[in-house]
Amino acid sequence: MMETECLFCRIVAGEIPATVVRETDTTLAFRDINPKAPVHVLVIPKEHYADVVTLTEADPGLAGDVLGTAAVVAETEGLAADGFRLIFNTGPYGGQEVFHAHAHVLGGEPLGPMLAR
């Protein structure tokens, strides 16, 4: 299912360009256009799910594919040795801005505390 107004669905469809770092049959990983760390890659399922909860409830295997792709991205981007952060922002309170399930792979420098207060 593709949502015609969804930014990430449009990237999957090739309507909007992205710097792709990894693609599988079920997932797409591309560089964030507003990076928060030296490495900031988004990993999405190609199929549209609004958030990680919806994705996991509907298709746990696809959720696993997203995690697997994130792990490969971290390795190929050179983050595995020093560590990285994997974040799923979910819902308005969680800071989700694009309502298509996606993981942020962040690293390349010390990232500091989880929450700034």
Side-chain angles (χ1 to χ4, degrees):
M1 176 174 89
M2 180 178 138
E3 297 287 324
T4 57
E5 298 303 315
C6 173
L7 173 67
F8 291 169
C9 286
R10 294 182 68 206
I11 290 172
V12 169
E15 297 172 9
I16 296 174
T19 304
V20 174
V21 297
R22 181 163 181 79
E23 183 172 7
T24 71
D25 290 342
T26 59
T27 65
L28 186 67
F30 52 92
R31 299 208 185 279
D32 193 297
I33 62 169
N34 187 21
K36 306 298 185 207
V39 175
H40 188 170
V41 175
L42 302 175
V43 181
I44 67 169
K46 288 182 175 179
E47 193 171 339
H48 182 87
Y49 292 96
D51 56 47
V52 71
V53 174
T54 306
L55 167 62
T56 303
E57 288 173 348
D59 193 338
L62 181 54
D65 290 350
V66 171
L67 289 175
T69 297
V72 171
V73 166
E75 182 69 36
T76 59
E77 293 288 317
L79 304 177
D82 290 327
F84 61 96
R85 190 167 288 161
L86 181 64
I87 299 172
F88 287 90
N89 296 329
T90 304
Y93 280 20
Q96 187 175 4
E97 296 175 1
V98 177
F99 287 84
H100 182 121
H102 60 285
H104 297 258
V105 179
L106 298 139
E109 68 184 11
L111 298 175
M114 281 294 294
L115 295 174
R117 295 225 178 228

